[in-house]
Amino acid sequence: MRVAIVQHDIVWGQPAENLQRLSLMIDGQQGTDLYVLSETFTTGFLPEETKCQDSDEGLEWLQRQARTKDAAFAASVATTDADGQLRNRLYFVRPDGTFDCYDKRHLFGYAGETDAYVAGQERVIVEWRGMRFLLQVCYDLRFPVWSRNRKDYDAAIYVANWPSSRINVWQTLLKARALENQCFVIGVNRIGKDPACDYCGGSVVIDAYGKTMAQCKDNEEGIATADLSMEQLQRFRKKFPVLQDADDFTLKTK
């Protein structure tokens, strides 16, 4: 399983411009099974700018790219659901156009996200080409119970707009999630600026040993790839069966 992490800047509230730039950026990338982009990749993080939300542009672009590249694409957008409620929605799109989606569970109240958005209640795991992926968005990273591996996934995806001022937390928690859940972790963060924050990236792929498999350069747009081996992961889990000793629990979501 070859994964490409796409670290990119985002033009504030301009979906068409962002999609055009990303199309050029990934145009020459081939031989990849999964591309992962950032949180709210078409607009930037818009907790109060609800009028700047993505309609269907982001999803349609992801479907076109998945079909063209014969690969899955994962990224989140600010969008409204069938009831007109604003969601921070992470799409996982396949080449045939089908998709699963995860609505961000832990909304970032510090920045006002809880005032405009509705939190998701469903934990979502998708399977793609022999590997199971847990879908997570940004602030979810701070809440380990929500992402606890119940022997039901192999890799966790975290897409983010994580500010430079807290980048050490991002780096530390990504590694912690990989170690405690005995899984691959794919973390993709944006670079650049919005009206509130600066972003330096720190996009990375980490294996179950906590070792970095691939990373993007700080403050630069770029694509890095890593090959995820299910055989290697299963061998490690069998040799050192941490998940078998995990506590049982029931998580209340409402």
Side-chain angles (χ1 to χ4, degrees):
M1 168 71 67
R2 174 160 291 184
V3 174
I5 49 175
V6 184
Q7 182 170 283
H8 56 95
D9 198 354
I10 303 174
V11 182
W12 179 257
Q14 298 297 323
E17 184 173 350
N18 288 314
L19 296 179
Q20 182 178 22
R21 293 173 69 251
L22 282 166
S23 294
L24 294 173
M25 185 175 176
I26 67 173
D27 185 53
Q29 186 74 29
Q30 300 292 339
T32 301
D33 297 293
L34 170 64
Y35 294 79
V36 183
L37 287 72
S38 76
E39 177 186 21
T40 54
F41 81 108
T42 61
T43 59
F45 189 63
L46 304 166
E48 297 178 357
E49 305 290 334
T50 57
K51 293 182 180 179
C52 293
Q53 66 191 271
D54 184 332
S55 54
D56 296 319
E57 293 174 274
L59 175 58
E60 292 171 356
W61 182 88
L62 291 169
Q63 290 173 315
R64 287 196 301 273
Q65 293 297 327
R67 182 175 62 252
T68 300
K69 300 291 188 183
D70 188 30
F73 274 70
S76 98
V77 300
T79 190
T80 50
D81 61 20
D83 298 320
Q85 298 174 309
L86 193 61
R87 303 275 186 167
N88 188 336
R89 179 163 289 173
L90 172 54
Y91 286 108
F92 190 98
V93 181
R94 301 172 186 83
D96 64 0
T98 61
F99 61 87
D100 289 289
C101 58
Y102 162 71
D103 292 336
K104 185 178 181 181
R105 162 69 172 164
H106 297 94
L107 301 177
F108 194 39
Y110 181 80
E113 192 177 21
T114 49
D115 297 329
Y117 288 69
V118 176
Q121 302 296 333
E122 299 291 333
R123 186 170 178 272
V124 178
I125 295 169
V126 301
E127 186 170 354
W128 175 241
R129 292 181 177 170
M131 187 167 286
R132 301 166 300 172
F133 295 88
L134 174 73
L135 306 184
Q136 303 273 276
V137 178
C138 202
Y139 196 40
D140 287 327
L141 181 61
R142 285 185 178 266
F143 302 92
V145 174
W146 184 241
S147 62
R148 180 65 69 207
N149 195 341
R150 306 171 194 175
K151 295 189 281 189
D152 54 359
Y153 71 84
D154 308 303
I157 294 173
Y158 291 92
V159 301
N161 278 204
W162 198 286
S164 300
S165 60
R166 295 187 287 276
I167 199 64
N168 287 339
V169 178
W170 164 259
Q171 295 166 339
T172 300
L173 293 182
L174 286 174
K175 183 174 287 190
R177 296 297 88 84
L179 291 169
E180 69 194 7
N181 293 303
Q182 211 168 30
C183 69
F184 298 106
V185 165
I186 303 159
V188 177
N189 189 31
R190 67 162 294 184
I191 64 167
K193 298 181 179 181
D194 64 21
C197 296
D198 294 342
Y199 305 90
C200 64
S203 302
V204 67
V205 180
I206 301 170
D207 70 12
Y209 295 90
K211 297 177 182 178
T212 298
M213 301 180 68
Q215 60 185 338
C216 296
K217 293 182 179 179
D218 290 348
N219 296 303
E220 292 185 16
E221 290 191 318
I223 300 174
T225 62
D227 292 318
L228 311 187
S229 169
M230 275 301 303
E231 181 181 357
Q232 180 188 54
L233 180 61
Q234 290 168 345
R235 188 164 58 245
F236 177 43
R237 287 174 170 176
K238 183 177 180 180
K239 178 181 177 181
F240 190 55
V242 173
L243 300 181
Q244 291 184 16
D245 299 323
D247 300 305
D248 291 327
F249 66 92
T250 300
L251 183 66
K252 295 182 179 179
T253 58
K254 295 183 180 180

